[in-house]
C-alpha cells in the first residue's frame, strides 16, 4: 500500500513537470481556437503556426546567431579556462595566490553592479550590435577556472614531468596530455557555459538592437512581448518550442552530464 | 625533479595573461566606472554631469526602489520554503527503494535546462484568468478561478511558484545526493534505540542536510535578486508594479529613461542589499546549528 502511494506521487510529479511541455508542443501544432483544451491530440495538427513564425521574424538567422555565439563562448571558456586553471594548479609563479584570490573575488561580485558599466564600455568601444559584444564579456568564466584548477591539481605530476622531458611546451601539455585525462571536467564546463550562453536574454537585449544579429531567446522574447505575435498563442508557443527543442534534444542525449554539471556547479559556485 | 618546482615558471604569465586583460576590461573597469557613475547624471549621449550625492538622495525617496526590494523579499519568502519542501519531498521519495529512479530524475530536471523565456511563455498560458489551464483545472473541482497574474497580491507569489517549478529539479538532485551521503548505520543504531521514523527525520536526516539547505538559501537569494526575464515577459513588472524586480527596475531606468547614473546607483545599492541578506542568512544558520 505504501509503495503504491509512493509511485502515485512520483508519477503525479512527473506529470506536473512533463505535461506542460507536451501540451506546449501539441498546442503549437493546433489551430488557434483549439488551444485552450487539455488534450494533447487534435485531428487538425499542422505546421501553420511555424510557417507564420518563420514569415514574421528572422528566426532561422537568430538560430544561427545563437549557435555561433554559444559555440565561440564555450570554446573560449574551456580553452582559456584550462590555461589559467593549469597555471594556477601546476605552475609556480609570483602572485599566484593573489591571482587566485582575485578570481574568487570576481565570482562574488553581483552582476547588477557591473551591468550598466559593461554596457557603457560596449558603447565606448563602438561594438554594440556585434557578435563581439555578445561574446566578449563571457569569454572567460571564473567558475570554469576554479573547476579546472581543482581537477588539474589531482593529476599525477609524473604525466607532466614525462611530457616536459620530451620537450613539450605548456600549451601542448595542457591540450595533449591534461585534456585527455580531464574529460569529465571539460564536458561539465562546456555544458554549463553553452547552456548559460544559449539561454541568456538580458545581455543580448541590452547590446543588440539590430534584428539580424539577435539571438534566438532574444528574438522569441521580443516577438512575444513586442506585439508581432498579435497575442496569437499558437505563434508564441511555436516560437517557444523552437527555442526549447535544441536544448531538450541535447539533454536527452547527455542527461547524466547535464544533471551532474548543474548540481556540481551549484555546490561549488 | 625537485628542480622543476623550485624556480618560477615564467611561461605561467603568458597563460594567465588573458585573465588579466579580461579582469581589467570586464571587472576592474566596470567596478571603477560604476563608482564614477553613481555621482553623475548621464543620458549616455550628452556629457556627464556631476551631481554629488543626488542619486543616493533620490534613491532614499524613491518608492519604486523600496517596492522592488519588497517584491524581491516577497518572492524569496515564498520561493525558498516552497523549494526546500518540494525538493526534500521528492528527494525522499526517490531515495527509497523504487524502480525507474533515473527516469523520474530526468523528468523532474527537464525544466531546469529549458530557457526561462520558454517557461514564462508557457506559464503565461497556464496562468491566464479566462482561458488558462490552471483555472480550467480548478473549475473541474468547482474551485473558483484564481487571478494568478492579474491581481497585485497574487502576481509575485505566482512568479515564485513558476520559478520553483523551473528550478526545483536541481535541488531535488542536491538533496538526493545529500541523503545518499548519510551513513545507513546512523539509522540502524537509532532503530535499536527505539527511535521512530519521525524522530529519525528530525534528529538525523534534517541536521545532516543542513549544508544543502544553506546552498539552496544562497542560490535562491542570488536568483531572486537576478529575477528579470520572468516578470519582463509575464507581467512587464505589473500589475501596479507588484512584480517589478530589482534587475527589471535597473533595466527600466537605464534603457527606458536613459538614467545611466541612477541605474548604476540602483545596481550598487542592490549589490549591498544582496551581501547584507546573505550575511544575515549565514549568521542565522550558524546560530541555528550552534543551538
Amino acid at each position: 500500500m505504501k509503495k503504491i502511494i509512493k509511485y502515485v506521487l512520483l508519477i503525479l510529479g512527473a506529470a506536473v513537470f512533463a505535461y506542460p511541455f507536451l501540451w506546449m508542443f501539441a498546442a503549437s501544432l493546433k489551430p488557434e481556437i483549439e488551444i485552450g483544451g487539455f488534450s494533447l491530440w487534435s485531428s487538425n495538427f499542422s505546421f501553420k503556426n511555424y510557417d507564420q513564425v518563420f514569415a514574421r521574424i528572422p528566426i532561422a538567422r537568430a538560430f544561427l546567431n545563437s549557435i555561433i555565439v554559444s559555440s565561440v563562448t564555450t570554446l573560449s571558456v574551456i580553452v582559456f579556462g584550462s590555461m589559467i586553471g593549469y597555471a594556477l594548479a601546476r605552475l609556480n609563479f609570483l602572485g599566484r595566490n593573489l591571482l587566485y584570490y582575485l578570481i574568487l573575488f570576481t565570482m562574488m561580485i553581483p552582476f547588477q553592479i557591473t551591468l550598466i558599466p559593461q554596457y557603457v564600455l560596449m558603447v565606448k568601444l563602438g561594438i554594440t550590435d556585434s557578435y563581439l559584444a555578445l561574446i566578449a564579456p563571457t569569454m572567460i568564466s571564473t567558475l570554469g577556472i576554479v573547476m579546472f584548477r581543482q581537477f588539474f591539481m589531482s593529476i599525477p605530476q609524473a604525466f607532466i614531468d614525462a611530457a616536459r622531458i620530451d620537450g613539450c611546451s605548456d600549451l601542448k601539455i595542457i591540450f595533449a596530455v591534461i585534456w585527455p585525462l580531464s574529460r569529465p571536467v571539460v564536458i561539465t564546463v562546456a555544458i554549463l557555459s553553452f547552456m548559460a550562453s544559449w539561454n541568456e536574454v538580458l545581455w543580448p537585449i541590452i547590446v543588440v538592437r539590430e534584428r539580424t544579429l539577435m539571438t534566438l531567446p532574444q528574438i522569441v522574447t521580443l516577438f512575444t512581448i513586442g506585439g508581432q505575435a498579435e497575442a496569437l498563442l499558437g505563434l508564441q508557443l511555436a516560437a517557444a518550442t523552437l527555442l526549447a527543442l535544441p536544448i531538450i534534444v541535447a539533454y536527452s542525449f547527455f542527461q547524466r552530464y547535464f544533471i551532474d554539471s548543474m548540481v556540481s556547479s551549484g555546490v561549488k559556485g | 625533479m625537485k628542480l622543476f618546482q623550485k624556480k618560477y615558471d615564467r611561461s605561467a604569465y603568458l597563460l594567465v595573461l588573458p585573465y588579466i586583460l579580461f579582469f581589467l576590461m570586464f571587472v576592474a573597469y566596470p567596478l571603477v566606472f560604476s563608482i564614477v557613475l553613481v555621482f553623475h547624471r548621464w543620458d549616455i549621449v550628452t556629457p556627464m554631469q556631476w551631481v554629488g550625492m543626488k542619486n543616493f538622495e533620490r534613491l532614499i525617496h524613491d518608492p519604486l526602489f523600496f517596492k522592488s526590494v519588497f517584491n524581491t523579499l516577497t518572492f524569496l519568502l515564498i520561493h525558498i520554503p516552497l523549494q526546500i519542501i518540494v525538493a526534500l519531498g521528492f528527494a525522499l521519495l526517490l531515495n527509497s527503494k523504487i524502480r525507474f529512479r533515473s527516469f523520474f530524475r530526468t523528468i523532474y530536471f527537464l525544466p531546469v535546462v529549458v530557457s526561462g523565456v520558454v517557461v514564462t511563455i508557457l506559464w503565461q498560458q497556464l496562468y491566464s484568468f479566462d482561458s488558462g489551464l490552471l483555472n480550467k483545472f480548478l473549475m473541474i473541482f468547482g474551485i473558483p478561478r484564481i487571478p494568478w497574474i492579474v491581481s497585485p497580491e497574487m502576481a509575485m507569489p505566482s512568479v515564485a511558484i513558476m520559478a520553483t517549478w523551473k528550478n526545483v529539479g536541481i535541488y531535488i538532485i542536491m538533496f538526493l545526493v545529500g541523503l545518499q551521503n548519510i551513513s545507513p548505520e546512523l539509522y540502524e543504531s537509532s532503530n535499536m534505540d527505539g527511535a521512530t521514523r519521525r524522530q529519525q527525520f528530525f534528529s538525523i536526516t534534517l541536521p545532516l542536510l543542513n549544508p544543502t539547505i544553506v546552498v539552496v538559501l544562497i542560490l535562491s537569494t542570488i536568483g531572486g535578486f537576478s529575477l528579470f526575464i520572468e516578470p519582463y515577459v509575464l507581467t512587464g513588472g505589473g500589475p501596479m508594479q507588484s512584480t517589478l524586480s530589482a534587475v527589471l527596475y535597473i533595466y527600466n531606468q537605464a534603457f527606458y529613461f536613459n538614467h545611466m547614473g541612477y541605474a548604476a546607483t540602483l545596481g550598487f545599492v542592490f549589490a549591498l542589499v544582496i551581501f547584507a541578506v546573505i550575511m544575515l542568512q549565514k549568521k542565522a544558520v550558524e546560530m541555528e546549528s550552534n543551538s
Side-chain angles (χ1 to χ4, degrees), chain B residues 178-189:
Chain B
L179 286 172
Q180 284 166 347
N181 284 340
I182 299 176
S183 155
E185 286 160 29
L186 286 174
Y187 293 104
E188 280 159 25
S189 62

Side-chain angles (χ1 to χ4, degrees), chain A residues 113-191:
Chain A
I113 202 169
T114 47
L115 184 71
I116 302 298
Q118 277 190 0
Y119 165 71
V120 172
L121 181 65
M122 299 294 127
V123 174
K124 285 193 169 166
L125 295 172
I127 58 168
T128 52
D129 278 319
S130 72
Y131 285 137
L132 190 58
L134 287 169
I135 294 166
T138 44
M139 279 183 77
I140 287 181
S141 145
T142 44
L143 177 65
I145 296 174
V146 170
M147 289 170 89
F148 280 125
R149 171 184 173 269
Q150 202 171 346
F151 195 93
F152 292 168
M153 289 204 302
S154 67
I155 287 172
Q157 183 66 28
F159 285 103
I160 296 166
D161 288 339
R164 274 211 192 150
I165 288 165
D166 288 345
C168 288
S169 66
D170 281 315
L171 286 181
K172 201 159 180 209
I173 292 177
I174 296 169
F175 297 112
V177 178
I178 301 218
W179 262 23
L181 297 167
S182 314
R183 266 239 192 93
V185 70
V186 175
I187 292 175
T188 297
V189 175
I191 285 183

Side-chain angles (χ1 to χ4, degrees), chain B residues 17-290:
Chain B
L17 185 65
Y19 181 74
I20 307 288
L21 295 176
F22 179 86
F23 179 82
L24 290 175
M25 272 191 91
F26 296 110
V27 183
Y29 172 82
L31 278 182
V32 172
F33 196 69
S34 87
I35 311 260
V36 174
L37 268 174
V38 298
F39 297 113
H40 286 84
R41 179 204 302 267
W42 192 34
D43 63 2
I44 213 160
V45 186
T46 54
M48 280 195 215
Q49 216 184 322
W50 173 267
V51 292
M53 296 300 285
K54 281 244 174 69
N55 282 326
F56 289 97
E57 279 169 35
R58 182 174 162 194
L59 183 130
I60 323 175
H61 297 109
D62 182 359
L64 282 185
F65 164 72
F66 291 101
K67 182 85 185 158
S68 63
V69 172
F70 172 80
N71 288 343
T72 306
L73 296 179
T74 311
F75 174 87
L76 293 178
L77 278 176
I78 297 163
H79 179 59
I80 293 175
L82 194 63
Q83 183 128 280
I84 291 175
I85 292 166
V86 174
L88 190 54
F90 278 112
L92 286 169
L93 281 172
L94 285 174
N95 194 39
S96 54
K97 282 192 188 113
I98 51 146
R99 295 167 76 180
F100 311 115
R101 180 184 295 150
S102 72
F103 166 79
F104 287 119
R105 219 176 61 144
T106 305
I107 299 286
Y108 298 162
F109 203 77
L110 187 59
V112 176
V113 302
V114 172
S115 157
V117 180
V118 174
V119 170
T120 312
I121 293 176
L122 182 52
W123 278 72
Q124 196 166 32
Q125 203 318 283
L126 301 184
Y127 275 152
S128 160
F129 185 69
D130 291 319
S131 57
L133 291 193
L134 279 174
N135 278 347
K136 282 188 179 172
F137 187 72
L138 293 178
M139 269 151 59
I140 295 175
F141 302 99
I143 303 169
R145 292 184 293 185
I146 296 175
W148 298 102
I149 50 176
V150 285
S151 99
E153 290 78 30
M154 272 307 292
M156 205 51 173
S158 298
V159 172
I161 292 171
M162 178 178 85
T164 307
W165 182 84
K166 175 162 179 14
N167 293 323
V168 77
I170 305 179
Y171 303 108
I172 293 176
I173 313 285
M174 280 188 191
F175 275 122
L176 187 58
V177 172
L179 286 172
Q180 284 166 347
N181 284 340
I182 299 176
S183 155
E185 286 160 29
L186 286 174
Y187 293 104
E188 280 159 25
S189 62
S190 73
N191 269 342
M192 294 209 279
D193 295 339
T196 65
R197 270 276 169 97
R198 217 188 143 85
Q199 286 170 323
Q200 285 180 336
F201 179 79
F202 283 104
S203 54
I204 301 175
T205 313
L206 220 44
L208 287 173
L209 286 177
N210 215 358
T212 317
I213 293 175
V214 176
V215 172
V216 178
L217 265 175
I218 291 174
L219 290 183
S220 306
T221 305
I222 295 172
F225 278 97
S226 314
L227 205 62
F228 169 75
I229 197 64
E230 292 84 355
Y232 185 65
V233 173
L234 192 69
T235 53
M240 292 171 71
Q241 322 288 358
S242 61
T243 54
L244 184 75
S245 68
V247 176
L248 187 55
Y249 191 40
I250 296 177
Y251 176 86
N252 286 344
Q253 282 295 339
F255 301 105
Y256 274 108
F257 304 114
N258 284 328
H259 294 161
M260 292 297 158
Y262 189 54
T265 312
L266 284 169
F268 193 82
V269 173
F270 280 128
L272 295 180
V273 176
I274 296 173
F275 277 125
V277 172
I278 289 179
M279 285 300 154
L280 276 176
Q281 286 173 340
K282 278 199 166 154
K283 268 263 150 60
V285 172
E286 272 164 25
M287 276 166 64
E288 181 71 23
S289 50
N290 286 342

Side-chain angles (χ1 to χ4, degrees), chain A:
Chain A
M1 191 55 207
K2 245 193 163 167
K3 248 206 155 139
I4 295 173
I5 296 175
K6 265 184 193 167
Y7 279 106
V8 168
L9 287 173
L10 283 166
I11 291 167
L12 270 178
V16 166
F17 290 108
Y19 171 79
F21 286 117
L22 296 173
W23 178 87
M24 174 176 79
F25 183 57
S28 73
L29 295 169
K30 290 179 187 172
E32 190 70 17
I33 41 163
E34 284 183 33
I35 287 176
F38 287 99
S39 157
L40 296 178
W41 178 253
S42 156
S43 50
N44 297 318
F45 272 166
S46 77
F47 284 102
K48 279 191 190 133
N49 291 328
Y50 290 88
D51 290 340
Q52 279 292 312
V53 171
F54 278 96
R56 288 177 191 219
I57 45 172
I59 197 164
R61 177 63 201 257
F63 181 81
L64 183 72
N65 291 339
S66 272
I67 293 276
I68 293 172
V69 169
S70 301
S71 306
V72 175
T73 302
T74 305
L75 199 66
S76 161
V77 163
I78 59 174
V79 167
F80 289 126
S82 307
M83 284 162 51
I84 300 152
Y86 170 79
L88 288 172
R90 311 307 302 228
L91 298 179
N92 230 336
F93 59 96
L94 202 63
R96 185 175 69 176
N97 287 339
L98 184 71
L99 185 70
Y100 186 57
Y101 290 131
L102 205 62
I103 287 168
L104 294 181
F105 165 73
T106 306
M107 280 178 85
M108 284 170 50
I109 302 172
F111 76 89
Q112 288 87 339
I113 202 169
T114 47
L115 184 71
I116 302 298
Q118 277 190 0
Y119 165 71
V120 172
L121 181 65
M122 299 294 127
V123 174
K124 285 193 169 166
L125 295 172
I127 58 168
T128 52
D129 278 319
S130 72
Y131 285 137
L132 190 58
L134 287 169
I135 294 166
T138 44
M139 279 183 77
I140 287 181
S141 145
T142 44
L143 177 65
I145 296 174
V146 170
M147 289 170 89
F148 280 125
R149 171 184 173 269
Q150 202 171 346
F151 195 93
F152 292 168
M153 289 204 302
S154 67
I155 287 172
Q157 183 66 28
F159 285 103
I160 296 166
D161 288 339
R164 274 211 192 150
I165 288 165
D166 288 345
C168 288
S169 66
D170 281 315
L171 286 181
K172 201 159 180 209
I173 292 177
I174 296 169
F175 297 112
V177 178
I178 301 218
W179 262 23
L181 297 167
S182 314
R183 266 239 192 93
V185 70
V186 175
I187 292 175
T188 297
V189 175
I191 285 183
L192 284 174
S193 117
F194 193 89
M195 248 183 65
S197 179
W198 183 267
N199 291 337
E200 173 66 31
V201 192
L202 178 58
W203 185 248
I205 285 184
I206 290 177
V207 294
V208 170
R209 312 274 161 87
E210 168 72 44
R211 260 158 65 106
T212 52
L213 282 170
M214 287 184 176
T215 64
L216 193 54
Q218 178 184 14
I219 210 159
V220 170
T221 302
L222 296 179
F223 178 63
T224 308
I225 66 169
Q228 263 186 308
E230 292 171 35
L232 290 172
L233 269 177
L235 301 194
Q236 295 180 10
L237 294 169
T241 306
L242 287 172
L243 172 57
L245 219 50
I247 218 94
I248 292 183
V249 170
Y251 174 60
S252 58
F253 282 109
F254 306 106
Q255 20 154 319
R256 165 138 279 154
Y257 285 117
F258 269 86
I259 295 177
D260 292 350
S261 309
M262 297 286 298
V263 172
S264 64
S265 79
V267 174
K268 281 161 198 154

